[in-house]
Amino acid sequence: NAGVTQTPKFQVLKTGQSMTLQCAQDMNHEYMSWYRQDPGMGLRLIHYSVGAGITDQGEVPNGYNVSRSTTEDFPLRLLSAAPSQTSVYFCASSLGAGVDSPLHFGNGTRLTVT
Amino acid sequence: ELKVEQNPLFLSMQEGKNYTIYCNYSTTSDRLYWYRQDPGKSLESLFVLLSNGAVKQEGRLMASLDTKARLSTLHITAAVHDLSATYFCAVGRGGYQKVTFGTGTKLQVIP
C-alpha cells in the first residue's frame, strides 16, 4: 500500500519557471491538501480539495494553482516560480467525512528557486 | 483567524525525565491532532483528540485536550533518545478539515 506519493523529491527552478508537483494517493481518500513547510513557521495550508472537481484556497494560495480531476490525484502548479517559494511541500490526504481521520502525509518535495 | 501556539519551541532534556509540551489555540475547534516529524522526513500522526477531557496514550507519550481552556498537552514520561523529533500540534475546524498547524516543538533527548 503506497499511501501518499509525491514526485519529484527534489527540484531546482530558476525564477519565472513553472512546474507541477505531483501527488497521488491510493487510499480512496476524499480530502487532499497541500502544505508548505518553512523553518519556524510550521506547516501552512496552500490549497485543499474535498473531492474530485472541488478545490478551495488555504492560508497561502498566491502563486499556486490546483485541480482535482480524479479522486487519486491532486497536482500543485507553480505558475511563475519566485525565491519566496523555496520550501518543502507536503501533500496530505484523509478520509474527509470522519472527524477523527488524521492527515496522511507524503514524503515531501524540496523545492529551491534561484 | 485561528492561531495555534506551541511552547516551548525547543526542549532539551535528559533521558529518564518527564516533560510537557503545550498547545494553545485561539478559537473553538472540532479536533486536535499531534504529529511527529523526524529530520528530513514526513509527518507521522500520533493522536487525534475530539472532545473535552479526551486523553490518549501511546508508549511514553500521553496527549490530553481541554476545550474550555483551548489547550492540549503532550506529556513525555521517562524520555528516551528515540523520542528526539519535532512535535506539531494541529487544530481542525469545519467539515472540510481545514487544519492549522502550530510552529512545532523540537525535542532533543540527551543520553
PDB file of all heavy atoms in Angstrom, chain A residues 31 35 37 40-43 48 50 90 94 96 98-103 105-107, chain B residues 31 33 35 37 40-43 45 48 50 88 95-99 101-103:
ATOM      1  N   TYR A  31     -10.461  13.776   0.947  1.00  0.00           N
ATOM      2  CA  TYR A  31      -9.850  15.073   1.222  1.00  0.00           C
ATOM      3  C   TYR A  31      -8.367  15.040   0.898  1.00  0.00           C
ATOM      4  O   TYR A  31      -7.656  14.127   1.316  1.00  0.00           O
ATOM      5  CB  TYR A  31     -10.060  15.411   2.692  1.00  0.00           C
ATOM      6  CG  TYR A  31      -9.447  16.689   3.147  1.00  0.00           C
ATOM      7  CD1 TYR A  31     -10.077  17.903   2.917  1.00  0.00           C
ATOM      8  CD2 TYR A  31      -8.242  16.697   3.839  1.00  0.00           C
ATOM      9  CE1 TYR A  31      -9.511  19.089   3.341  1.00  0.00           C
ATOM     10  CE2 TYR A  31      -7.669  17.875   4.267  1.00  0.00           C
ATOM     11  CZ  TYR A  31      -8.311  19.071   4.018  1.00  0.00           C
ATOM     12  OH  TYR A  31      -7.753  20.230   4.441  1.00  0.00           O
ATOM     13  N   TYR A  35       0.526  21.570   1.710  1.00  0.00           N
ATOM     14  CA  TYR A  35       1.114  22.441   2.705  1.00  0.00           C
ATOM     15  C   TYR A  35       2.533  22.787   2.268  1.00  0.00           C
ATOM     16  O   TYR A  35       3.187  22.012   1.582  1.00  0.00           O
ATOM     17  CB  TYR A  35       1.199  21.747   4.070  1.00  0.00           C
ATOM     18  CG  TYR A  35      -0.119  21.565   4.766  1.00  0.00           C
ATOM     19  CD1 TYR A  35      -0.937  20.476   4.506  1.00  0.00           C
ATOM     20  CD2 TYR A  35      -0.550  22.497   5.709  1.00  0.00           C
ATOM     21  CE1 TYR A  35      -2.146  20.315   5.155  1.00  0.00           C
ATOM     22  CE2 TYR A  35      -1.765  22.346   6.367  1.00  0.00           C
ATOM     23  CZ  TYR A  35      -2.548  21.249   6.082  1.00  0.00           C
ATOM     24  OH  TYR A  35      -3.745  21.091   6.734  1.00  0.00           O
ATOM     25  N   GLN A  37       6.212  23.913   4.191  1.00  0.00           N
ATOM     26  CA  GLN A  37       6.859  23.964   5.488  1.00  0.00           C
ATOM     27  C   GLN A  37       8.114  24.809   5.399  1.00  0.00           C
ATOM     28  O   GLN A  37       9.021  24.515   4.619  1.00  0.00           O
ATOM     29  CB  GLN A  37       7.224  22.567   5.992  1.00  0.00           C
ATOM     30  CG  GLN A  37       7.830  22.566   7.392  1.00  0.00           C
ATOM     31  CD  GLN A  37       8.091  21.192   7.943  1.00  0.00           C
ATOM     32  OE1 GLN A  37       8.293  20.228   7.212  1.00  0.00           O
ATOM     33  NE2 GLN A  37       8.078  21.070   9.266  1.00  0.00           N
ATOM     34  N   GLY A  40      10.584  27.506  11.343  1.00  0.00           N
ATOM     35  CA  GLY A  40       9.990  28.395  12.332  1.00  0.00           C
ATOM     36  C   GLY A  40       8.538  28.767  12.076  1.00  0.00           C
ATOM     37  O   GLY A  40       7.963  29.555  12.835  1.00  0.00           O
ATOM     38  N   MET A  41       7.936  28.213  11.015  1.00  0.00           N
ATOM     39  CA  MET A  41       6.567  28.615  10.674  1.00  0.00           C
ATOM     40  C   MET A  41       5.608  27.436  10.618  1.00  0.00           C
ATOM     41  O   MET A  41       4.454  27.587  10.211  1.00  0.00           O
ATOM     42  CB  MET A  41       6.546  29.364   9.345  1.00  0.00           C
ATOM     43  CG  MET A  41       7.430  30.599   9.357  1.00  0.00           C
ATOM     44  SD  MET A  41       7.249  31.619   7.905  1.00  0.00           S
ATOM     45  CE  MET A  41       5.633  32.333   8.201  1.00  0.00           C
ATOM     46  N   GLY A  42       6.046  26.283  10.995  1.00  0.00           N
ATOM     47  CA  GLY A  42       5.155  25.127  10.947  1.00  0.00           C
ATOM     48  C   GLY A  42       4.767  24.807   9.516  1.00  0.00           C
ATOM     49  O   GLY A  42       5.521  25.055   8.577  1.00  0.00           O
ATOM     50  N   LEU A  43       3.581  24.269   9.341  1.00  0.00           N
ATOM     51  CA  LEU A  43       3.055  23.970   8.019  1.00  0.00           C
ATOM     52  C   LEU A  43       1.906  24.926   7.727  1.00  0.00           C
ATOM     53  O   LEU A  43       1.039  25.147   8.575  1.00  0.00           O
ATOM     54  CB  LEU A  43       2.540  22.530   7.948  1.00  0.00           C
ATOM     55  CG  LEU A  43       3.592  21.447   7.771  1.00  0.00           C
ATOM     56  CD1 LEU A  43       4.289  21.139   9.078  1.00  0.00           C
ATOM     57  CD2 LEU A  43       2.961  20.186   7.201  1.00  0.00           C
ATOM     58  N   TYR A  48      -6.701  23.108  -0.816  1.00  0.00           N
ATOM     59  CA  TYR A  48      -7.239  21.830  -0.431  1.00  0.00           C
ATOM     60  C   TYR A  48      -8.415  21.458  -1.332  1.00  0.00           C
ATOM     61  O   TYR A  48      -8.967  22.303  -2.041  1.00  0.00           O
ATOM     62  CB  TYR A  48      -7.648  21.799   1.046  1.00  0.00           C
ATOM     63  CG  TYR A  48      -8.805  22.701   1.405  1.00  0.00           C
ATOM     64  CD1 TYR A  48     -10.092  22.198   1.515  1.00  0.00           C
ATOM     65  CD2 TYR A  48      -8.597  24.052   1.662  1.00  0.00           C
ATOM     66  CE1 TYR A  48     -11.150  23.021   1.857  1.00  0.00           C
ATOM     67  CE2 TYR A  48      -9.647  24.879   1.998  1.00  0.00           C
ATOM     68  CZ  TYR A  48     -10.922  24.363   2.101  1.00  0.00           C
ATOM     69  OH  TYR A  48     -11.972  25.179   2.432  1.00  0.00           O
ATOM     70  N   VAL A  50     -11.994  18.771  -1.361  1.00  0.00           N
ATOM     71  CA  VAL A  50     -12.859  17.859  -0.616  1.00  0.00           C
ATOM     72  C   VAL A  50     -13.422  16.756  -1.501  1.00  0.00           C
ATOM     73  O   VAL A  50     -14.233  15.948  -1.047  1.00  0.00           O
ATOM     74  CB  VAL A  50     -13.994  18.612   0.099  1.00  0.00           C
ATOM     75  CG1 VAL A  50     -13.401  19.617   1.084  1.00  0.00           C
ATOM     76  CG2 VAL A  50     -14.899  19.311  -0.903  1.00  0.00           C
ATOM     77  N   PHE A  90       4.441  19.529   1.193  1.00  0.00           N
ATOM     78  CA  PHE A  90       3.844  18.260   1.581  1.00  0.00           C
ATOM     79  C   PHE A  90       2.409  18.171   1.072  1.00  0.00           C
ATOM     80  O   PHE A  90       1.628  19.112   1.212  1.00  0.00           O
ATOM     81  CB  PHE A  90       3.826  18.099   3.105  1.00  0.00           C
ATOM     82  CG  PHE A  90       5.162  17.800   3.704  1.00  0.00           C
ATOM     83  CD1 PHE A  90       5.908  18.801   4.291  1.00  0.00           C
ATOM     84  CD2 PHE A  90       5.662  16.512   3.689  1.00  0.00           C
ATOM     85  CE1 PHE A  90       7.148  18.528   4.846  1.00  0.00           C
ATOM     86  CE2 PHE A  90       6.896  16.218   4.249  1.00  0.00           C
ATOM     87  CZ  PHE A  90       7.640  17.235   4.821  1.00  0.00           C
ATOM     88  N   SER A  94      -6.898  12.587   3.647  1.00  0.00           N
ATOM     89  CA  SER A  94      -7.625  11.960   4.749  1.00  0.00           C
ATOM     90  C   SER A  94      -8.990  11.526   4.240  1.00  0.00           C
ATOM     91  O   SER A  94      -9.425  11.935   3.164  1.00  0.00           O
ATOM     92  CB  SER A  94      -7.766  12.905   5.942  1.00  0.00           C
ATOM     93  OG  SER A  94      -8.710  13.918   5.666  1.00  0.00           O
ATOM     94  N   GLY A  96     -11.812  12.424   5.220  1.00  0.00           N
ATOM     95  CA  GLY A  96     -12.630  13.604   4.989  1.00  0.00           C
ATOM     96  C   GLY A  96     -13.957  13.585   5.722  1.00  0.00           C
ATOM     97  O   GLY A  96     -14.287  14.504   6.443  1.00  0.00           O
ATOM     98  N   GLY A  98     -15.047  11.602   8.167  1.00  0.00           N
ATOM     99  CA  GLY A  98     -14.974  11.331   9.589  1.00  0.00           C
ATOM    100  C   GLY A  98     -14.113  12.345  10.303  1.00  0.00           C
ATOM    101  O   GLY A  98     -12.993  12.610   9.907  1.00  0.00           O
ATOM    102  N   VAL A  99     -14.608  12.925  11.359  1.00  0.00           N
ATOM    103  CA  VAL A  99     -13.853  13.957  12.050  1.00  0.00           C
ATOM    104  C   VAL A  99     -12.645  13.398  12.781  1.00  0.00           C
ATOM    105  O   VAL A  99     -11.769  14.149  13.171  1.00  0.00           O
ATOM    106  CB  VAL A  99     -14.734  14.727  13.054  1.00  0.00           C
ATOM    107  CG1 VAL A  99     -15.792  15.514  12.325  1.00  0.00           C
ATOM    108  CG2 VAL A  99     -15.359  13.787  14.062  1.00  0.00           C
ATOM    109  N   ASP A 100     -12.574  12.097  12.981  1.00  0.00           N
ATOM    110  CA  ASP A 100     -11.429  11.538  13.682  1.00  0.00           C
ATOM    111  C   ASP A 100     -10.382  10.993  12.732  1.00  0.00           C
ATOM    112  O   ASP A 100      -9.534  10.209  13.112  1.00  0.00           O
ATOM    113  CB  ASP A 100     -11.866  10.447  14.644  1.00  0.00           C
ATOM    114  CG  ASP A 100     -12.540   9.292  13.923  1.00  0.00           C
ATOM    115  OD1 ASP A 100     -12.866   9.444  12.731  1.00  0.00           O
ATOM    116  OD2 ASP A 100     -12.723   8.244  14.551  1.00  0.00           O
ATOM    117  N   SER A 101     -10.425  11.413  11.499  1.00  0.00           N
ATOM    118  CA  SER A 101      -9.473  10.930  10.500  1.00  0.00           C
ATOM    119  C   SER A 101      -8.254  11.836  10.449  1.00  0.00           C
ATOM    120  O   SER A 101      -8.371  13.020  10.153  1.00  0.00           O
ATOM    121  CB  SER A 101     -10.145  10.906   9.121  1.00  0.00           C
ATOM    122  OG  SER A 101      -9.208  10.631   8.124  1.00  0.00           O
ATOM    123  N   PRO A 102      -7.056  11.310  10.741  1.00  0.00           N
ATOM    124  CA  PRO A 102      -5.876  12.157  10.668  1.00  0.00           C
ATOM    125  C   PRO A 102      -5.461  12.398   9.220  1.00  0.00           C
ATOM    126  O   PRO A 102      -5.916  11.705   8.308  1.00  0.00           O
ATOM    127  CB  PRO A 102      -4.811  11.337  11.400  1.00  0.00           C
ATOM    128  CG  PRO A 102      -5.213   9.927  11.144  1.00  0.00           C
ATOM    129  CD  PRO A 102      -6.718   9.930  11.116  1.00  0.00           C
ATOM    130  N   LEU A 103      -4.589  13.362   9.013  1.00  0.00           N
ATOM    131  CA  LEU A 103      -3.985  13.580   7.710  1.00  0.00           C
ATOM    132  C   LEU A 103      -2.851  12.573   7.510  1.00  0.00           C
ATOM    133  O   LEU A 103      -2.044  12.353   8.415  1.00  0.00           O
ATOM    134  CB  LEU A 103      -3.432  14.999   7.611  1.00  0.00           C
ATOM    135  CG  LEU A 103      -4.453  16.139   7.669  1.00  0.00           C
ATOM    136  CD1 LEU A 103      -3.730  17.467   7.764  1.00  0.00           C
ATOM    137  CD2 LEU A 103      -5.355  16.097   6.461  1.00  0.00           C
ATOM    138  N   PHE A 105       0.462  12.029   5.295  1.00  0.00           N
ATOM    139  CA  PHE A 105       1.362  12.880   4.530  1.00  0.00           C
ATOM    140  C   PHE A 105       2.236  12.082   3.573  1.00  0.00           C
ATOM    141  O   PHE A 105       2.638  10.943   3.866  1.00  0.00           O
ATOM    142  CB  PHE A 105       2.272  13.673   5.470  1.00  0.00           C
ATOM    143  CG  PHE A 105       1.585  14.822   6.132  1.00  0.00           C
ATOM    144  CD1 PHE A 105       0.888  14.653   7.320  1.00  0.00           C
ATOM    145  CD2 PHE A 105       1.621  16.085   5.560  1.00  0.00           C
ATOM    146  CE1 PHE A 105       0.246  15.718   7.927  1.00  0.00           C
ATOM    147  CE2 PHE A 105       0.984  17.161   6.154  1.00  0.00           C
ATOM    148  CZ  PHE A 105       0.293  16.984   7.335  1.00  0.00           C
ATOM    149  N   GLY A 106       2.540  12.711   2.420  1.00  0.00           N
ATOM    150  CA  GLY A 106       3.566  12.187   1.537  1.00  0.00           C
ATOM    151  C   GLY A 106       4.942  12.517   2.085  1.00  0.00           C
ATOM    152  O   GLY A 106       5.078  13.144   3.144  1.00  0.00           O
ATOM    153  N   ASN A 107       5.978  12.111   1.363  1.00  0.00           N
ATOM    154  CA  ASN A 107       7.349  12.302   1.836  1.00  0.00           C
ATOM    155  C   ASN A 107       7.923  13.668   1.534  1.00  0.00           C
ATOM    156  O   ASN A 107       9.047  13.971   1.930  1.00  0.00           O
ATOM    157  CB  ASN A 107       8.262  11.227   1.249  1.00  0.00           C
ATOM    158  CG  ASN A 107       8.000   9.867   1.882  1.00  0.00           C
ATOM    159  OD1 ASN A 107       7.639   9.780   3.054  1.00  0.00           O
ATOM    160  ND2 ASN A 107       8.163   8.814   1.105  1.00  0.00           N
TER     161      ASN A 107
ATOM    162  N   ARG B  31     -11.383  19.436  16.479  1.00  0.00           N
ATOM    163  CA  ARG B  31     -10.471  18.325  16.796  1.00  0.00           C
ATOM    164  C   ARG B  31      -9.039  18.834  16.875  1.00  0.00           C
ATOM    165  O   ARG B  31      -8.681  19.834  16.267  1.00  0.00           O
ATOM    166  CB  ARG B  31     -10.582  17.238  15.735  1.00  0.00           C
ATOM    167  CG  ARG B  31     -10.356  17.759  14.346  1.00  0.00           C
ATOM    168  CD  ARG B  31     -11.162  17.007  13.302  1.00  0.00           C
ATOM    169  NE  ARG B  31     -11.047  17.642  12.014  1.00  0.00           N
ATOM    170  CZ  ARG B  31     -11.814  18.659  11.616  1.00  0.00           C
ATOM    171  NH1 ARG B  31     -12.749  19.137  12.393  1.00  0.00           N
ATOM    172  NH2 ARG B  31     -11.633  19.199  10.430  1.00  0.00           N
ATOM    173  N   TYR B  33      -4.911  17.524  16.725  1.00  0.00           N
ATOM    174  CA  TYR B  33      -4.012  16.462  16.293  1.00  0.00           C
ATOM    175  C   TYR B  33      -2.615  16.695  16.866  1.00  0.00           C
ATOM    176  O   TYR B  33      -2.197  17.839  17.048  1.00  0.00           O
ATOM    177  CB  TYR B  33      -3.853  16.466  14.769  1.00  0.00           C
ATOM    178  CG  TYR B  33      -5.124  16.388  13.960  1.00  0.00           C
ATOM    179  CD1 TYR B  33      -5.784  17.552  13.569  1.00  0.00           C
ATOM    180  CD2 TYR B  33      -5.643  15.168  13.539  1.00  0.00           C
ATOM    181  CE1 TYR B  33      -6.926  17.504  12.795  1.00  0.00           C
ATOM    182  CE2 TYR B  33      -6.788  15.106  12.762  1.00  0.00           C
ATOM    183  CZ  TYR B  33      -7.424  16.276  12.392  1.00  0.00           C
ATOM    184  OH  TYR B  33      -8.565  16.220  11.625  1.00  0.00           O
ATOM    185  N   TYR B  35       1.355  15.416  15.782  1.00  0.00           N
ATOM    186  CA  TYR B  35       2.179  14.746  14.791  1.00  0.00           C
ATOM    187  C   TYR B  35       3.624  14.776  15.240  1.00  0.00           C
ATOM    188  O   TYR B  35       4.053  15.675  15.968  1.00  0.00           O
ATOM    189  CB  TYR B  35       2.083  15.445  13.426  1.00  0.00           C
ATOM    190  CG  TYR B  35       0.762  15.255  12.720  1.00  0.00           C
ATOM    191  CD1 TYR B  35      -0.293  16.132  12.952  1.00  0.00           C
ATOM    192  CD2 TYR B  35       0.578  14.209  11.821  1.00  0.00           C
ATOM    193  CE1 TYR B  35      -1.503  15.962  12.310  1.00  0.00           C
ATOM    194  CE2 TYR B  35      -0.637  14.033  11.170  1.00  0.00           C
ATOM    195  CZ  TYR B  35      -1.666  14.911  11.423  1.00  0.00           C
ATOM    196  OH  TYR B  35      -2.872  14.734  10.780  1.00  0.00           O
ATOM    197  N   GLN B  37       7.632  14.589  13.576  1.00  0.00           N
ATOM    198  CA  GLN B  37       8.438  14.670  12.356  1.00  0.00           C
ATOM    199  C   GLN B  37       9.903  14.473  12.708  1.00  0.00           C
ATOM    200  O   GLN B  37      10.467  15.235  13.488  1.00  0.00           O
ATOM    201  CB  GLN B  37       8.239  16.015  11.648  1.00  0.00           C
ATOM    202  CG  GLN B  37       8.967  16.089  10.311  1.00  0.00           C
ATOM    203  CD  GLN B  37       8.775  17.424   9.613  1.00  0.00           C
ATOM    204  OE1 GLN B  37       8.731  18.472  10.253  1.00  0.00           O
ATOM    205  NE2 GLN B  37       8.656  17.397   8.287  1.00  0.00           N
ATOM    206  N   GLY B  40      14.199  15.752   8.139  1.00  0.00           N
ATOM    207  CA  GLY B  40      14.194  15.391   6.731  1.00  0.00           C
ATOM    208  C   GLY B  40      13.124  14.409   6.329  1.00  0.00           C
ATOM    209  O   GLY B  40      13.128  13.924   5.194  1.00  0.00           O
ATOM    210  N   LYS B  41      12.223  14.125   7.236  1.00  0.00           N
ATOM    211  CA  LYS B  41      11.185  13.112   6.961  1.00  0.00           C
ATOM    212  C   LYS B  41       9.797  13.742   6.918  1.00  0.00           C
ATOM    213  O   LYS B  41       9.631  14.945   7.113  1.00  0.00           O
ATOM    214  CB  LYS B  41      11.221  12.034   8.061  1.00  0.00           C
ATOM    215  CG  LYS B  41      12.552  11.330   8.196  1.00  0.00           C
ATOM    216  CD  LYS B  41      12.892  10.519   6.970  1.00  0.00           C
ATOM    217  CE  LYS B  41      14.162   9.707   7.184  1.00  0.00           C
ATOM    218  NZ  LYS B  41      14.512   8.917   5.963  1.00  0.00           N
ATOM    219  N   SER B  42       8.817  12.878   6.679  1.00  0.00           N
ATOM    220  CA  SER B  42       7.436  13.316   6.635  1.00  0.00           C
ATOM    221  C   SER B  42       6.846  13.387   8.045  1.00  0.00           C
ATOM    222  O   SER B  42       7.544  13.161   9.031  1.00  0.00           O
ATOM    223  CB  SER B  42       6.634  12.341   5.773  1.00  0.00           C
ATOM    224  OG  SER B  42       5.313  12.788   5.616  1.00  0.00           O
ATOM    225  N   LEU B  43       5.581  13.712   8.128  1.00  0.00           N
ATOM    226  CA  LEU B  43       4.901  13.796   9.414  1.00  0.00           C
ATOM    227  C   LEU B  43       4.127  12.514   9.675  1.00  0.00           C
ATOM    228  O   LEU B  43       3.447  11.988   8.789  1.00  0.00           O
ATOM    229  CB  LEU B  43       3.928  14.980   9.446  1.00  0.00           C
ATOM    230  CG  LEU B  43       4.561  16.344   9.615  1.00  0.00           C
ATOM    231  CD1 LEU B  43       5.051  16.889   8.295  1.00  0.00           C
ATOM    232  CD2 LEU B  43       3.574  17.312  10.265  1.00  0.00           C
ATOM    233  N   SER B  45       1.247  10.723  12.162  1.00  0.00           N
ATOM    234  CA  SER B  45       0.167  11.002  13.104  1.00  0.00           C
ATOM    235  C   SER B  45       0.394  10.253  14.417  1.00  0.00           C
ATOM    236  O   SER B  45       0.689   9.061  14.431  1.00  0.00           O
ATOM    237  CB  SER B  45      -1.164  10.580  12.498  1.00  0.00           C
ATOM    238  OG  SER B  45      -2.216  10.749  13.424  1.00  0.00           O
ATOM    239  N   VAL B  48      -5.330  11.809  17.697  1.00  0.00           N
ATOM    240  CA  VAL B  48      -6.446  12.665  17.311  1.00  0.00           C
ATOM    241  C   VAL B  48      -7.355  12.790  18.533  1.00  0.00           C
ATOM    242  O   VAL B  48      -7.808  11.773  19.070  1.00  0.00           O
ATOM    243  CB  VAL B  48      -7.236  12.095  16.124  1.00  0.00           C
ATOM    244  CG1 VAL B  48      -8.373  13.042  15.749  1.00  0.00           C
ATOM    245  CG2 VAL B  48      -6.329  11.850  14.934  1.00  0.00           C
ATOM    246  N   LEU B  50     -10.812  14.514  20.168  1.00  0.00           N
ATOM    247  CA  LEU B  50     -12.058  15.066  19.643  1.00  0.00           C
ATOM    248  C   LEU B  50     -12.926  15.777  20.671  1.00  0.00           C
ATOM    249  O   LEU B  50     -13.764  16.589  20.298  1.00  0.00           O
ATOM    250  CB  LEU B  50     -12.885  13.939  19.001  1.00  0.00           C
ATOM    251  CG  LEU B  50     -12.244  13.209  17.836  1.00  0.00           C
ATOM    252  CD1 LEU B  50     -13.158  12.114  17.346  1.00  0.00           C
ATOM    253  CD2 LEU B  50     -11.924  14.194  16.718  1.00  0.00           C
ATOM    254  N   PHE B  88       4.406  18.473  16.393  1.00  0.00           N
ATOM    255  CA  PHE B  88       3.467  19.511  15.983  1.00  0.00           C
ATOM    256  C   PHE B  88       2.084  19.204  16.536  1.00  0.00           C
ATOM    257  O   PHE B  88       1.633  18.056  16.486  1.00  0.00           O
ATOM    258  CB  PHE B  88       3.346  19.564  14.451  1.00  0.00           C
ATOM    259  CG  PHE B  88       4.560  20.063  13.738  1.00  0.00           C
ATOM    260  CD1 PHE B  88       5.522  19.174  13.268  1.00  0.00           C
ATOM    261  CD2 PHE B  88       4.747  21.420  13.526  1.00  0.00           C
ATOM    262  CE1 PHE B  88       6.640  19.631  12.595  1.00  0.00           C
ATOM    263  CE2 PHE B  88       5.867  21.888  12.859  1.00  0.00           C
ATOM    264  CZ  PHE B  88       6.812  21.004  12.392  1.00  0.00           C
ATOM    265  N   GLY B  95     -16.240  21.125   8.555  1.00  0.00           N
ATOM    266  CA  GLY B  95     -16.417  19.800   7.999  1.00  0.00           C
ATOM    267  C   GLY B  95     -15.418  19.430   6.946  1.00  0.00           C
ATOM    268  O   GLY B  95     -15.231  18.259   6.640  1.00  0.00           O
ATOM    269  N   TYR B  96     -14.735  20.406   6.380  1.00  0.00           N
ATOM    270  CA  TYR B  96     -13.796  20.097   5.306  1.00  0.00           C
ATOM    271  C   TYR B  96     -12.371  19.939   5.799  1.00  0.00           C
ATOM    272  O   TYR B  96     -11.438  19.910   5.024  1.00  0.00           O
ATOM    273  CB  TYR B  96     -13.861  21.166   4.225  1.00  0.00           C
ATOM    274  CG  TYR B  96     -15.209  21.246   3.559  1.00  0.00           C
ATOM    275  CD1 TYR B  96     -15.745  22.473   3.179  1.00  0.00           C
ATOM    276  CD2 TYR B  96     -15.943  20.103   3.304  1.00  0.00           C
ATOM    277  CE1 TYR B  96     -16.977  22.553   2.564  1.00  0.00           C
ATOM    278  CE2 TYR B  96     -17.184  20.181   2.697  1.00  0.00           C
ATOM    279  CZ  TYR B  96     -17.695  21.400   2.320  1.00  0.00           C
ATOM    280  OH  TYR B  96     -18.912  21.475   1.708  1.00  0.00           O
ATOM    281  N   GLN B  97     -12.217  19.881   7.074  1.00  0.00           N
ATOM    282  CA  GLN B  97     -10.919  19.568   7.656  1.00  0.00           C
ATOM    283  C   GLN B  97      -9.826  20.554   7.286  1.00  0.00           C
ATOM    284  O   GLN B  97      -8.716  20.154   6.928  1.00  0.00           O
ATOM    285  CB  GLN B  97     -10.489  18.144   7.296  1.00  0.00           C
ATOM    286  CG  GLN B  97     -11.414  17.096   7.859  1.00  0.00           C
ATOM    287  CD  GLN B  97     -10.677  15.843   8.266  1.00  0.00           C
ATOM    288  OE1 GLN B  97      -9.469  15.770   8.236  1.00  0.00           O
ATOM    289  NE2 GLN B  97     -11.418  14.840   8.653  1.00  0.00           N
ATOM    290  N   LYS B  98     -10.119  21.841   7.334  1.00  0.00           N
ATOM    291  CA  LYS B  98      -9.040  22.820   7.248  1.00  0.00           C
ATOM    292  C   LYS B  98      -8.263  22.738   8.544  1.00  0.00           C
ATOM    293  O   LYS B  98      -8.800  22.967   9.614  1.00  0.00           O
ATOM    294  CB  LYS B  98      -9.612  24.224   7.048  1.00  0.00           C
ATOM    295  CG  LYS B  98     -10.285  24.418   5.708  1.00  0.00           C
ATOM    296  CD  LYS B  98     -10.815  25.818   5.536  1.00  0.00           C
ATOM    297  CE  LYS B  98      -9.688  26.811   5.378  1.00  0.00           C
ATOM    298  NZ  LYS B  98     -10.208  28.166   5.021  1.00  0.00           N
ATOM    299  N   VAL B  99      -6.997  22.378   8.409  1.00  0.00           N
ATOM    300  CA  VAL B  99      -6.184  22.106   9.575  1.00  0.00           C
ATOM    301  C   VAL B  99      -5.078  23.147   9.672  1.00  0.00           C
ATOM    302  O   VAL B  99      -4.342  23.358   8.713  1.00  0.00           O
ATOM    303  CB  VAL B  99      -5.590  20.682   9.495  1.00  0.00           C
ATOM    304  CG1 VAL B  99      -4.702  20.403  10.694  1.00  0.00           C
ATOM    305  CG2 VAL B  99      -6.708  19.653   9.404  1.00  0.00           C
ATOM    306  N   PHE B 101      -1.640  24.315  11.684  1.00  0.00           N
ATOM    307  CA  PHE B 101      -0.553  23.736  12.468  1.00  0.00           C
ATOM    308  C   PHE B 101       0.108  24.767  13.366  1.00  0.00           C
ATOM    309  O   PHE B 101       0.183  25.964  13.015  1.00  0.00           O
ATOM    310  CB  PHE B 101       0.515  23.150  11.544  1.00  0.00           C
ATOM    311  CG  PHE B 101       0.159  21.798  11.001  1.00  0.00           C
ATOM    312  CD1 PHE B 101      -0.749  21.663   9.973  1.00  0.00           C
ATOM    313  CD2 PHE B 101       0.725  20.660  11.546  1.00  0.00           C
ATOM    314  CE1 PHE B 101      -1.096  20.418   9.473  1.00  0.00           C
ATOM    315  CE2 PHE B 101       0.395  19.401  11.052  1.00  0.00           C
ATOM    316  CZ  PHE B 101      -0.515  19.287  10.026  1.00  0.00           C
ATOM    317  N   GLY B 102       0.600  24.307  14.505  1.00  0.00           N
ATOM    318  CA  GLY B 102       1.496  25.105  15.319  1.00  0.00           C
ATOM    319  C   GLY B 102       2.886  25.114  14.703  1.00  0.00           C
ATOM    320  O   GLY B 102       3.146  24.421  13.715  1.00  0.00           O
ATOM    321  N   THR B 103       3.793  25.874  15.305  1.00  0.00           N
ATOM    322  CA  THR B 103       5.129  26.031  14.741  1.00  0.00           C
ATOM    323  C   THR B 103       6.055  24.877  15.095  1.00  0.00           C
ATOM    324  O   THR B 103       7.147  24.786  14.571  1.00  0.00           O
ATOM    325  CB  THR B 103       5.768  27.343  15.200  1.00  0.00           C
ATOM    326  OG1 THR B 103       5.702  27.409  16.624  1.00  0.00           O
ATOM    327  CG2 THR B 103       5.038  28.537  14.610  1.00  0.00           C
TER     328      THR B 103
END
